[in-house]
Amino acid sequence: MALSASLHLRQSQSLVMTPQLMQSIQLLQMTHLELGQFIAQEVEKNPLLEFQSAEEAGIGTDRSERDEASLTAEAGGGTEEGAGQGDFYDSATSSSGERLSEELDADFANVFQDDTAPQRADAPELLGQWKSMPGAGGSDDGEGYDLDDFVADRKTLRETLIEQVPFALGTPGDRLIAQHLIDQLDEAGYLHAEIAETAARLGATTEDVTRVLLVLQQFDPPGVFARNLSECLAIQLRLRNRLDPAMEALVANLELLARRDFASLKKICGVDEEDLVDMLAEIRKLDPKPGTSFETGVTEAIIPDVIVRSAPDGGWLVELNPDALPRVLVNHDYFAEVSRHSRKNSAEQAFLAECMQNANWLTRSLDQRARTIMKVASEIVRQQDAFLVHGVDHLRPLNLRIIADAIKMHESTVSRVTSNKYMLTPRGLFELKYFFTVSIGSAENGDAHSAESVRHRIRTMISQESADAVLSDDDIVDVLKQAGVDIARRTVAKYREAMNIPSSVQRRREKRALAKAAGF
């Protein structure tokens, strides 16, 4: 067979992941904060992009200007008629006041001298600082001051402990050891440094480090400088003068307390059931993490991406939260102005064309992202209508395929949209992933049940049980089967353990102890 060269024309289709397409996919799964940071970076490097103001977006207008205008109109606006009325009122008031003072022989001007005297500042320099602040009396800029400037700064755990060192330790060596131990504390106030290692590092003896540590363990907040949970609780009990031998035995066997093995604890501590209940109540009053109250981290509020409201026709109104939508515009006027001055420069023209292309792509991607979130959220609301009306007991089993088939999209797209997105409903704030739960079959060949609704039923039944009628896992299975839920015993046990609910034996023992302590 002879070899020969030939030329063939073939047509085929393939999906190419361009960088812009990859970024469009990444925009879907970005949170509100991540998207804001990404857009800020794009605006910084693209001169054709700019943030849209609230006035351009139609969100609102300057309220202060409207209030000022209305107040000016109510005051008469400086018209002659208004001025005439003001003069008449002032003259009438002045003459009637003088006549009343003469008839009653009383001069009210001298009764409250502090009120009628000119306003004087006890500290003129503070008054000057106040007037110089934005928005304060005497300022002309009209901007309001920030009330956060007047809030006292919260001290950290380290600062609180350092302030107590000079009052408890006198020698420089002891203070150096204390400074080193303070630096070894974690956020909860626990000490993870070894005594021997610390002594070798500082050139001190282990006795000196131990002595300083015992002094530091008496600092405020109670329980700091503990090396484990048992020592933390023991320090707090010692400061309360409640660390007796029985309590020491209880603190040393916290693993039995975690398992609720009250029978073993009574034998180890040598107390009866009533005394053990009192000791447990004393333990509950202690703080297992004394340093967490000094955390300075700012709690970030969750901004919902979708808001669901009741519609007048009985349905649901689904809309995107305007606070979570980025507002960015393409400045076409600036592009046209710059293009006229750079016609002869090919490099500048190429740069402007690339900036315009990226800006248009970003705006289209943001619009497509908003439309996709709206489609997915609307379909979730349609599928979970019974949950919005009746509560978690009527939450339907749902998966990504059902939503993807309904809105004609791929499951991966729905998964990206629902990750780290939140929906504000009349039932509360929920993550979009919350509405996707596993299906549990029905015992009567009816509709399947959601795993979340079944967990809610188990939690409700256990919370309503009494000490004499504690439900076992088999009892819960029987009750659920009577309600039409086909569930296995091991599934009930798995759900119960996931919700940190102890077994029926442990719950019965604890409930009886609490009931006996209460006198029932």
Side-chain angles (χ1 to χ4, degrees):
M1 181 177 179
L3 298 178
S4 62
S6 61
L7 182 63
H8 298 278
L9 182 63
R10 180 183 301 174
Q11 184 178 4
S12 62
Q13 293 181 348
S14 62
L15 181 61
V16 180
M17 292 291 292
T18 62
Q20 292 184 348
L21 181 58
M22 294 179 62
Q23 288 187 352
S24 298
I25 295 175
Q26 293 175 357
L27 288 178
L28 286 176
Q29 58 187 7
M30 285 186 179
T31 62
H32 169 62
L33 296 178
E34 294 174 348
L35 184 62
Q37 294 175 358
F38 174 78
I39 293 177
Q41 295 175 358
E42 293 294 325
V43 171
E44 183 178 358
K45 65 182 180 181
N46 194 335
L48 301 182
L49 286 174
E50 61 182 12
F51 288 105
Q52 185 182 15
S53 62
E55 295 180 357
E56 294 174 347
I59 295 179
T61 57
D62 191 357
R63 184 177 180 181
S64 62
E65 295 180 1
R66 297 197 307 267
D67 295 341
E68 183 178 357
S70 62
L71 291 175
T72 304
E74 294 176 0
T79 59
E80 296 180 358
E81 182 180 0
Q85 293 177 357
D87 295 339
F88 173 77
Y89 177 79
D90 293 341
S91 60
T93 305
S94 177
S95 60
S96 59
E98 294 177 356
R99 185 171 60 255
L100 182 62
S101 299
E102 294 177 356
E103 293 177 356
L104 298 179
D105 192 15
D107 187 4
F108 296 99
N110 297 326
V111 176
F112 303 101
Q113 298 180 2
D114 294 339
D115 295 341
T116 58
Q119 297 293 332
R120 294 177 298 176
D122 295 334
E125 65 279 2
L126 297 180
L127 181 60
Q129 294 176 7
W130 170 260
K131 290 186 176 181
S132 62
M133 293 179 60
S139 61
D140 298 331
D141 52 7
E143 297 181 358
Y145 55 86
D146 191 1
L147 291 179
D148 292 337
D149 296 337
F150 301 94
V151 179
D153 188 17
R154 294 185 58 184
K155 293 182 180 180
T156 62
L157 176 63
R158 184 175 182 275
E159 293 173 350
T160 303
L161 296 174
I162 288 178
E163 291 179 353
Q164 304 176 53
V165 170
F167 299 97
L169 300 172
T171 63
D174 293 346
R175 294 182 181 181
L176 179 61
I177 297 175
Q179 177 73 32
H180 184 78
L181 294 178
I182 290 175
D183 294 336
Q184 300 299 318
L185 294 179
D186 60 5
E187 295 180 354
Y190 284 84
L191 180 64
H192 300 286
E194 296 292 338
I195 300 297
E197 182 181 353
T198 302
R201 184 178 303 172
L202 299 178
T205 62
T206 56
E207 291 78 7
D208 293 337
V209 178
T210 304
R211 176 176 51 81
V212 173
L213 178 59
L214 293 177
V215 175
L216 295 178
Q217 288 180 349
Q218 300 177 7
F219 281 12
D220 187 67
V224 290
F225 293 99
R227 285 157 288 188
N228 50 59
L229 179 59
S230 298
E231 188 177 10
C232 178
L233 301 180
I235 292 172
Q236 299 180 52
L237 291 171
R238 186 182 299 111
L239 295 176
R240 296 187 179 192
N241 197 19
R242 289 284 292 121
L243 192 61
D244 50 16
M247 191 66 78
E248 287 184 358
L250 177 60
V251 172
N253 296 273
L254 293 179
E255 66 278 358
L256 298 178
L257 180 59
R259 296 200 304 263
R260 291 178 169 82
D261 191 356
F262 300 132
S264 300
L265 287 176
K266 287 190 296 183
K267 295 179 182 179
I268 295 175
C269 299
V271 295
D272 55 8
E273 191 170 356
E274 183 177 357
D275 292 337
L276 182 61
V277 172
D278 295 337
M279 294 167 62
L280 295 180
E282 191 74 22
I283 291 292
R284 291 191 181 97
K285 298 178 182 179
L286 305 179
D287 188 2
K289 296 181 179 180
T292 54
S293 59
F294 292 87
E295 292 182 357
T296 57
V298 180
T299 303
E300 297 181 358
I302 297 178
I303 301 178
D305 299 270
V306 182
I307 299 177
V308 179
R309 297 187 179 92
S310 300
D313 57 353
W316 301 102
L317 180 62
V318 184
E319 59 183 3
L320 297 176
N321 186 7
D323 295 335
L325 290 178
R327 296 184 291 269
V328 61
L329 293 176
V330 181
N331 196 337
H332 294 278
D333 296 336
Y334 180 73
F335 173 76
E337 182 67 23
V338 176
S339 298
R340 286 196 298 267
H341 295 81
S342 60
R343 293 178 179 178
K344 298 180 180 180
N345 194 327
S346 59
E348 294 180 359
Q349 286 289 343
F351 174 74
L352 288 176
E354 182 181 0
C355 291
M356 178 58 70
Q357 181 181 1
N358 294 336
N360 291 331
W361 160 81
L362 180 60
T363 54
R364 289 196 302 267
S365 299
L366 293 176
D367 182 69
Q368 183 65 29
R369 177 182 181 272
R371 293 176 182 272
T372 306
I373 294 176
M374 190 66 179
K375 287 182 180 180
V376 174
S378 300
E379 183 61 25
I380 291 176
V381 171
R382 192 184 70 83
Q383 294 285 344
Q384 301 292 355
D385 177 74
F387 163 77
L388 297 175
V389 176
H390 302 289
V392 68
D393 290 336
H394 295 77
L395 187 66
R396 294 181 52 187
L398 189 65
N399 53 38
L400 298 176
R401 179 178 292 276
I402 297 177
I403 300 296
D405 295 340
I407 62 177
K408 307 300 181 182
M409 288 186 178
H410 198 267
E411 293 182 34
S412 61
T413 304
V414 179
S415 177
R416 291 186 179 94
V417 170
T418 54
S419 61
N420 298 323
K421 306 294 188 308
Y422 293 87
M423 177 186 295
L424 181 61
T425 68
R427 292 284 173 182
L429 182 65
F430 301 94
E431 189 179 4
L432 294 184
K433 290 287 188 182
Y434 173 82
F435 299 98
F436 297 90
T437 58
V438 181
S439 175
I440 297 180
S442 175
E444 301 175 354
N445 296 326
D447 295 336
H449 300 271
S450 170
E452 182 64 29
S453 63
V454 174
R455 282 193 291 266
H456 177 72
R457 293 185 183 184
I458 295 174
R459 189 186 304 109
T460 303
M461 286 188 292
I462 293 178
S463 63
Q464 295 176 353
E465 64 185 4
S466 61
D468 298 331
V470 177
L471 299 175
S472 63
D473 293 342
D474 293 328
D475 296 335
I476 295 176
V477 171
D478 296 337
V479 174
L480 291 177
K481 285 187 177 180
Q482 294 177 2
V485 181
D486 186 11
I487 189 171
R489 177 188 174 278
R490 61 179 179 273
T491 306
V492 172
K494 181 180 67 175
Y495 288 169
R496 176 180 53 77
E497 293 174 356
M499 293 184 291
N500 295 324
I501 299 176
S503 63
S504 58
V505 177
Q506 295 174 345
R507 297 199 309 272
R508 182 181 296 107
R509 185 185 298 116
E510 185 176 2
K511 289 179 181 294
R512 287 180 177 177
L514 294 176
K516 185 177 181 180
F520 296 108

